[in-house]
Amino acid sequence: MDEVLLRSLTPSVITVLVRRGADFAAAEDAVQDALVEALRVWAADRSPSSRHGSDRAEPLRDAKGWLVTVAWRKFLDAARADTARRRREERVEEEPAPGPVPAVDDTLQLYFLCAHPSLTPASAVALTLRAVGGLTTRQIAEAYLVPEATMAQRISRAKRTVSGVRFDKPGDVATVLRVLYLVFNEGYSGDIDLAAEAIRLTRQLAARIDHPEVAGLLALMLLHHARRAARTASDGSLVPLAEQDRGRWDTTLIAEGIGILQAALARDRLGEYQAQAAIAALHADAPTAEETDWVQIVEWYDELARLTDSPVVRLNRAVAVGEADGPRAGLAALAALDATLPRHAAVAAYLHEREGDLTTAARLYAEAAHKAPNLAERDHLTRQAARLNARRGR
């Protein structure tokens, strides 16, 4: 049985248990136990339908029904240990017979629950990956480079926080999208490709809700992911966008992303993810870096700044202005921003280099390297400083 298929069924199985009366935390635990059982059973016998016993009845034909049956029994086992005899017997009497699962799907509500405003961003991400994504605690811990016990505590606290939230209350799409974008930006770590996982979860969300910003986020992810293979050299060093081998970009993902974006924009309900995707599409559409339509990119940054009022957006806009109108104009736009912004020094270094001030640029690249948030970025900026210092010494 494909592990990806199992994980894709996780949210709908959880919601079936919740509809039957299980609280969210207990339902999520029971489904995780059922997933472990499924992997064990189906790995041991590729034809489990030939086995005896209802737990193993025809899982390949009805994997969801199999998981619901096993998870419900796991929940009942836990309930027997935690509840009084009278209530326990009532639940046992209420156990549904094995068979087709009702078509009601509360997966969308589960997205909302896992991104509840009462959760911290880190907790919302962890709970989404576990309850909606179907990942194990170990996989999530490895992806975020923290001990498994630490991640288990984070997930347990998150489940306790949302345990009383009703499924029938409307959720906030914007919060869900922020959580999914946080997952996407983690990239790849451990044995889980978080960028690909975020795309899968966003596709799943897009299939359940007709919202232009959901489409915009999916388009943005696809367009960024299409450039992934070209972002790093064979030695692991970063390759700037202008220097990337565009022949290594995934044109299928680019075409899909642009198609999704165009359909979203046609609805005339612009949001920040659509605007970001439009900028990414203009980069993807340029045959060479020199042919990039920077004027239109500046216009999209203006829209994005209007939508978000984000200083980070204005920082990126300064780069685009420097490309469209020259480095001096870019530096003028940069001067209006707080110099303590992340990557401010790197942007200033790039624009000063474009203007020909190599001494200032080298100093700022070194300063930016010192503040870099990760090793790959620090190494890249250090090399830029060394390159300019070498040019000056000739």
Side-chain angles (χ1 to χ4, degrees), residues 22-281:
D23 66 89
F24 169 70
E28 201 279 329
D29 285 338
V31 173
Q32 286 291 328
D33 289 342
L35 290 174
V36 171
E37 180 71 6
L39 291 172
R40 183 187 67 78
V41 170
W42 292 334
D45 186 349
R46 300 230 174 229
S47 301
S49 59
S50 65
R51 291 175 176 249
H52 298 290
S54 60
D55 280 1
R56 292 168 178 170
E58 301 185 351
L60 294 181
R61 253 190 353 183
D62 185 16
K64 180 179 176 181
W66 191 95
L67 286 171
V68 167
T69 298
V70 174
W72 182 249
R73 290 182 180 176
K74 297 286 186 184
F75 165 70
L76 291 177
D77 288 343
R80 289 186 182 100
D82 296 336
T83 62
R85 177 183 177 84
R86 182 178 60 82
R87 182 55 187 147
R88 181 174 70 237
E89 291 175 350
E90 289 174 359
R91 285 191 182 278
V92 171
E93 290 172 1
E94 293 167 4
E95 178 181 349
V101 178
V104 176
D105 186 357
D106 284 325
T107 298
L108 180 59
Q109 292 305 116
L110 191 59
Y111 273 92
F112 293 141
L113 183 67
C114 292
H116 195 268
S118 62
L119 297 173
T120 65
S123 295
V125 164
L127 192 57
T128 296
L129 287 173
R130 169 132 170 167
V132 183
L135 301 183
T136 65
T137 302
R138 178 190 60 79
Q139 288 173 320
I140 301 169
E142 288 182 354
Y144 284 89
L145 305 177
V146 300
E148 185 173 350
T150 300
M151 185 57 69
Q153 290 174 353
R154 184 181 300 172
I155 292 171
S156 294
R157 285 195 299 268
K159 289 195 291 186
R160 286 197 299 270
T161 299
V162 301
S163 60
V165 178
R166 291 171 59 88
F167 259 37
D168 57 358
K169 291 187 176 180
D172 179 18
V173 174
T175 303
V176 174
L177 297 183
R178 281 194 294 272
V179 169
L180 291 174
Y181 200 33
L182 283 173
V183 176
F184 179 79
N185 284 327
E186 286 297 324
Y188 177 87
S189 185
D191 64 349
I192 295 297
D193 185 337
L194 288 176
E197 182 66 14
I199 290 172
R200 183 182 74 82
L201 294 177
T202 307
R203 286 189 190 279
Q204 186 170 278
L205 179 62
R208 287 169 168 80
I209 183 170
D210 183 19
H211 194 294
E213 275 292 81
V214 176
L217 178 60
L218 179 56
L220 176 63
M221 289 178 175
L222 293 173
L223 290 165
H224 280 318
H225 206 56
R227 304 201 303 261
R228 180 173 181 169
R231 283 201 190 99
T232 54
S234 57
D235 61 359
S237 60
L238 292 180
V239 180
L241 177 60
E243 300 172 19
Q244 289 176 13
D245 177 0
R246 299 182 180 224
R248 299 183 65 194
W249 290 1
D250 188 327
T251 55
T252 300
L253 287 183
I254 290 172
E256 182 185 5
I258 290 176
I260 292 171
L261 173 63
Q262 288 174 337
L265 291 174
R267 301 177 65 176
D268 198 24
R269 289 169 56 194
L270 184 64
E272 62 177 293
Y273 293 111
Q274 295 169 73
Q276 289 187 60
I279 293 168

Side-chain angles (χ1 to χ4, degrees), residues 213 265 268-276 279 297-315 317:
E213 275 292 81
L265 291 174
D268 198 24
R269 289 169 56 194
L270 184 64
E272 62 177 293
Y273 293 111
Q274 295 169 73
Q276 289 187 60
I279 293 168
I297 287 175
V298 171
E299 292 173 356
W300 276 111
Y301 271 122
D302 288 339
E303 289 285 353
L304 189 55
R306 180 182 60 79
L307 289 165
T308 65
D309 194 28
S310 164
V312 174
V313 168
R314 297 186 187 281
L315 183 68
R317 178 185 178 277

